[in-house]
């Protein structure tokens, strides 16, 4: 499961779009020869509720990973321009790994993440995430993340996991 504020952050804010509006995020990845593209649309169909999706494909020569996902994000407390608000995100994803000459294998994962965002009068925002992800047939992994941005500039972003 991913935890995201605004790309390229990996931590997720507790905010959602205004009801009736949406956005599409897209990004490119290129890490140690593994490159690809991702698209993640989101739409707020009700006040405080947003549905989102993900399509991501990463590959190098002879190897690819394709991930699709669906999520529901709930802003539990109202957004506060100089204080904290909280939310939750429920996610489901399916990934397919394909290796030339060896075929492909697919698996599912689901998760839930508690979200917190605190906005400061000096213009900074701290995003806090705590949740878990469970792959089908596997055990839960706990995820936590912290991200801080100041005046729309990423200062730090950290996502950690443990079984």
């Amino acid at each position: 499961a991913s935890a995201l504020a605004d790309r390229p952050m990996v931590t997720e804010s507790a905010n959602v779009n205004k009801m009736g509006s949406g956005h599409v995020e897209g990004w490119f990845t290129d890490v140690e020869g593994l490159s690809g593209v991702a698209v993640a649309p989101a739409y707020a169909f009700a006040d405080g509720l947003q549905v989102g999706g993900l399509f991501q494909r990463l590959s190098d020569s002879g190897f690819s990973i394709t991930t699709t996902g669906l999520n529901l994000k709930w802003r539990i407390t109202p957004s506060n321009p100089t204080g904290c608000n909280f939310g939750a995100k429920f996610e489901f994803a399916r990934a397919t790994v394909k290796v030339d000459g060896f075929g492909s294998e697919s698996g599912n994962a689901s998760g839930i993440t508690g979200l917190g965002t605190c906005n400061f009068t000096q213009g900074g925002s701290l995003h806090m995430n705590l949740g878990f992800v469970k792959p089908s047939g596997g055990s839960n992994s706990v995820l936590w993340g912290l991200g801080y941005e100041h005046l729309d500039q990423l200062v730090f972003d950290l996502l950690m996991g443990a079984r």
Side-chain angles (χ1 to χ4, degrees):
S2 56
L4 312 167
D6 286 327
R7 302 292 196 277
M9 291 187 76
V10 293
T11 51
E12 177 79 44
S13 79
N15 300 316
V16 298
N17 289 319
K18 291 183 179 172
M19 184 173 67
S21 67
H23 68 277
V24 177
E25 299 171 358
W27 63 97
F28 296 97
T29 303
D30 189 4
V31 178
E32 297 181 13
L34 189 63
S35 61
V37 64
V39 177
Y43 179 77
F45 61 92
D47 187 36
L49 289 173
Q50 176 175 292
V51 64
L54 170 69
F55 175 80
Q56 182 174 35
R57 180 163 166 74
L58 301 169
S59 63
D60 72 1
S61 60
F63 175 81
S64 68
I65 302 171
T66 303
T67 305
T68 55
L70 185 63
N71 66 69
L72 177 67
K73 189 174 175 183
W74 174 31
R75 188 192 67 231
I76 298 169
T77 61
S79 294
N80 190 341
T82 56
C84 298
N85 66 295
F86 300 94
K89 189 171 185 179
F90 309 90
E91 300 179 272
F92 175 80
R94 179 167 184 81
T96 301
V97 177
K98 182 178 179 185
V99 179
D100 289 350
F102 293 96
S104 64
E105 190 169 321
S106 297
N108 300 325
S110 58
I112 183 170
T113 305
L115 311 170
T117 293
C118 292
N119 299 305
F120 305 105
T121 55
Q122 303 86 356
S125 296
L126 176 66
H127 307 293
M128 303 158 286
N129 298 171
L130 178 62
F132 75 90
V133 62
K134 183 179 184 329
S136 57
S139 59
N140 289 344
S141 292
V142 175
L143 300 174
W144 64 270
L146 288 173
Y148 181 73
E149 52 189 336
H150 184 66
L151 302 175
D152 294 326
Q153 297 294 318
L154 175 64
V155 176
F156 73 84
D157 194 25
L158 175 68
L159 179 67
M160 301 294 291
R163 286 185 182 244

